[in-house]
Amino acid sequence: MKANQISAERAEKQYRLKIASLIGSVTHAQVLADQALEQAGFFMDEREMEESDISRSLENFSCVCDEVLKDLLNEYRKGGLE
């Protein structure tokens, strides 16, 4: 095996490990955002929730996490599941 082939294989393996780690991190972040929204619902009424910048931001963040997770999972699956 050539040195640059070994290096490319190692880089790909590290890339896939980073993608796998991101999947876990994004999933965790999405769960926290969803939980924060749920907790806010216990002390904020519907009007306050609708007018809250952080509430809208958390909802948007959760949606973005969902989209990112789909992309990350698709990218991870390209190399086959390990």
Side-chain angles (χ1 to χ4, degrees), residues 9-70:
E9 288 174 4
R10 182 173 183 211
E12 182 178 359
K13 184 175 182 176
Q14 288 176 341
Y15 172 75
R16 290 180 47 69
L17 288 171
K18 297 294 182 194
I19 295 294
S21 181
L22 280 167
I23 289 168
S25 295
V26 173
T27 300
H28 183 71
Q30 184 179 31
V31 167
L32 289 174
D34 292 343
Q35 288 174 343
L37 279 171
E38 183 180 347
Q39 289 296 312
F42 289 120
F43 67 89
M44 296 171 79
D45 63 30
E46 190 174 322
R47 182 189 57 75
E48 289 175 311
M49 290 289 285
E50 288 175 5
E51 294 177 358
S52 169
D53 289 338
I54 191 64
S55 177
R56 282 190 300 278
S57 293
L58 288 172
E59 287 175 6
N60 290 337
F61 182 71
S62 183
C63 290
V64 168
C65 285
D66 199 41
E67 292 175 23
V68 169
L69 281 171
K70 289 175 189 173

